[in-house]
Amino acid sequence: MRTGKLLVAAVLTVSALTVPGASTTITEQAYTGRIDRPQYEFAPPDTVLRPGLPGDVGLDPAPLRAAEQFVTDWTKPDPATGHPHFAGAVGILAHDGVIVDETVAGGALRYADAAGAELPPAQQVPMRADTIFDMASITKLFTSLAVMQLVEDGKVALDRPVAQYLPEFAANGKQSVTVRQLLTHTSGLAADPRPSLWQGYPDIPSRRKAVLDSPLTNQPGTTYLYSDINLMTLGFLVERLSGQPLDVVVRDRITQPLGMTDTAFNPPAEKLDRIAATEFQADPPRGMVRGQVHDENAWALGGVSGHAGIFSTAPDMAVLAQAILNGGAYRGARILRPETVRDMLTDYNQAFPGHAHGLGFELDQRFYMGALSAPTTAGHTGFTGTSLVIDPVSRSFAILLTNRVHPTRNWGSINPAREKWASALAEAM
């Protein structure tokens, strides 16, 4: 446990942790004897990731090696179940601009069916450092970034009703729901559309209408409830105000400027050999899903949705993480202003303990952030087995990408691996 950082969290407010120029007198005393030092400003915007050894930035390599072994072991059959926890994984750990650990284990394509019958070795595809993963709900971060770009452009105000921008969203009593409430999952909307989009509607226009017609289950602002509908709606808002499809906006304003060349919705067929397989689906009858989005609702929307659909690699996600640590810039490309990034990493859900949330980013979630968790630690997970943890105070990040739903979603939780991976970096400090 990072006792120094937790002491800082106990004696300083969130704003003091995030606003440049905050006093460091107390924290300097709290961190006496520690290898790393807390940071109260973003990393220099010209910080570019480079490979290095843990010792180059004062880290103990032993916890990192132990985490590597843990991840590798989880790709091997467990004696109790006869199957691994996940088919394969790619992980990156970075501190102060230096990638101190990269691990690759298991297979990107390993199974033939939902029962877990392994393919012949010649037909299996091993994981590699640049394997492309279905990022699932980490897509929500890209949608949130696109929304905040519109805020910077003066096209969106966070506390105005969504219906001001999407009049049809006002249906079924939603006229007072704000943009901020969608970003923080306090809108009052249900978790998912019911019936699911692929089951209940004949085409994409009717499915989009079903999302916008969704009724409230709680009064806006009274309850935290994680909801895919929130980010689906924000994806539609981005499209309406930009005049471009969401995938085009994300490409033109986020991934292309940052040089994230393997990050996109609906990846092209020529990259299929690098894409990790996900689930064998019988209902809907899709067979082994590979190269198409796993999430059924995103699939029913053509693979592009505000809540799911992005594919990416660990190296590309490392660039995004460092851009956040740099205050919204990387290699000369700025996607957001520093004050906007700071706003995204501020907890607006203090009324809902345990559900700390910025604008799109989850905050302080120990179940996957492990010992890196603190009031300003930001990140997100994806149902397919992905996770991203960004710690501004130590200028560090942890990325673990797995295809844990390959060949089935029923092999259990991988949260212990997520936590172990992130905690290793904290322990190394």
Side-chain angles (χ1 to χ4, degrees):
M1 179 179 293
R2 298 192 303 164
T3 53
K5 184 168 182 182
L6 294 178
L7 177 59
V8 173
V11 298
L12 291 180
T13 64
V14 172
S15 60
L17 285 168
T18 58
V19 175
S23 170
T24 59
T25 303
I26 296 176
T27 56
E28 286 167 354
Q29 295 172 0
Y31 274 77
T32 299
R34 289 178 52 79
I35 295 172
D36 63 323
R37 294 177 293 115
Q39 303 292 336
Y40 296 95
E41 298 191 25
F42 291 119
D46 60 352
T47 301
V48 176
L49 290 166
R50 63 194 187 280
L53 299 174
D56 296 341
V57 284
L59 301 188
D60 178 4
L64 309 184
R65 301 293 89 80
E68 283 183 0
Q69 188 61 55
F70 186 97
V71 169
T72 298
D73 288 346
W74 270 39
T75 66
K76 300 173 183 177
D78 180 78
T81 64
H83 61 72
H85 294 276
F86 40 73
V90 179
I92 288 180
L93 298 173
H95 176 67
D96 205 19
V98 176
I99 295 175
V100 296
D101 196 288
E102 294 182 87
T103 193
V104 179
L109 174 63
R110 185 166 169 178
Y111 298 100
D113 56 34
E118 290 205 8
L119 291 164
Q123 296 179 30
Q124 294 187 31
V125 178
M127 282 292 183
R128 42 191 271 185
D130 62 350
T131 292
I132 299 170
F133 289 81
D134 179 339
M135 301 299 293
S137 281
I138 289 179
T139 303
K140 293 178 171 72
L141 298 181
F142 290 86
T143 305
S144 300
L145 292 168
V147 169
M148 297 308 294
Q149 289 176 331
L150 292 173
V151 171
E152 288 191 349
D153 294 343
K155 295 181 177 180
V156 171
L158 292 173
D159 293 313
R160 288 184 181 172
V162 177
Q164 179 173 323
Y165 310 107
L166 291 170
E168 58 270 45
F169 178 75
N172 293 314
K174 301 194 300 295
Q175 61 272 7
S176 68
V177 175
T178 67
V179 175
R180 190 188 302 274
Q181 288 168 340
L182 294 182
L183 286 165
T184 57
H185 295 286
T186 57
S187 65
L189 285 163
D192 305 288
R194 289 289 183 268
S196 63
L197 299 183
W198 71 270
Q199 290 175 312
Y201 310 93
D203 52 31
I204 289 177
S206 65
R207 293 163 189 162
R208 292 170 67 101
K209 184 178 186 300
V211 172
L212 293 171
D213 285 347
S214 296
L216 296 173
T217 59
N218 299 290
Q219 285 300 307
T222 65
T223 307
Y224 172 88
L225 178 61
Y226 181 84
S227 168
D228 284 352
I229 300 173
N230 289 335
L231 275 293
M232 291 179 184
T233 302
L234 286 172
F236 299 156
L237 181 148
V238 169
E239 293 179 339
R240 179 70 57 84
L241 296 181
S242 68
Q244 296 284 344
L246 180 63
D247 57 338
V248 173
V249 173
V250 169
R251 181 196 67 199
D252 290 351
R253 302 200 66 182
I254 301 173
T255 61
Q256 196 169 73
L258 293 178
M260 299 171 66
T261 56
D262 283 324
T263 304
F265 294 90
N266 290 324
E270 58 264 27
K271 293 187 177 182
L272 183 62
D273 63 331
R274 285 203 287 131
I275 297 176
T278 55
E279 189 171 28
F280 186 94
Q281 292 190 347
D283 187 23
R286 302 173 65 191
M288 188 63 73
V289 179
R290 188 183 184 204
Q292 291 185 329
V293 62
H294 171 263
D295 182 275
E296 294 90 347
N297 287 323
W299 172 68
L301 290 169
V304 180
S305 181
H307 77 293
I310 280 277
F311 286 72
S312 189
T313 64
D316 270 12
M317 291 304 300
V319 168
L320 180 67
Q322 191 61 47
I324 297 300
L325 292 176
N326 291 357
Y330 192 79
R331 286 192 182 274
R334 179 164 292 284
I335 61 169
L336 288 174
R337 296 193 289 262
E339 57 267 29
T340 303
V341 177
R342 191 171 297 113
D343 204 22
M344 295 186 77
L345 306 185
T346 298
D347 182 17
Y348 290 100
N349 280 4
Q350 294 184 34
F352 310 108
H355 301 297
H357 215 287
L359 302 176
F361 284 93
E362 296 175 339
L363 304 172
D364 200 13
Q365 299 299 307
R366 191 174 181 88
F367 79 92
Y368 70 93
M369 297 176 177
L372 277 182
S373 184
T376 53
T377 307
H380 217 287
T381 61
F383 185 80
T384 50
T386 56
S387 58
L388 168 68
V389 181
I390 304 172
D391 178 24
V393 172
S394 69
R395 294 181 180 172
S396 305
F397 62 82
I399 295 166
L400 182 65
L401 307 183
T402 81
N403 53 346
R404 71 107 189 163
V405 296
H406 179 57
T408 173
R409 68 186 71 189
N410 298 322
W411 280 358
S413 171
I414 66 160
N415 288 339
R418 289 166 161 153
E419 184 178 359
K420 177 72 173 180
W421 189 245
S423 290
L425 189 55
E427 292 162 6
M429 289 188 272

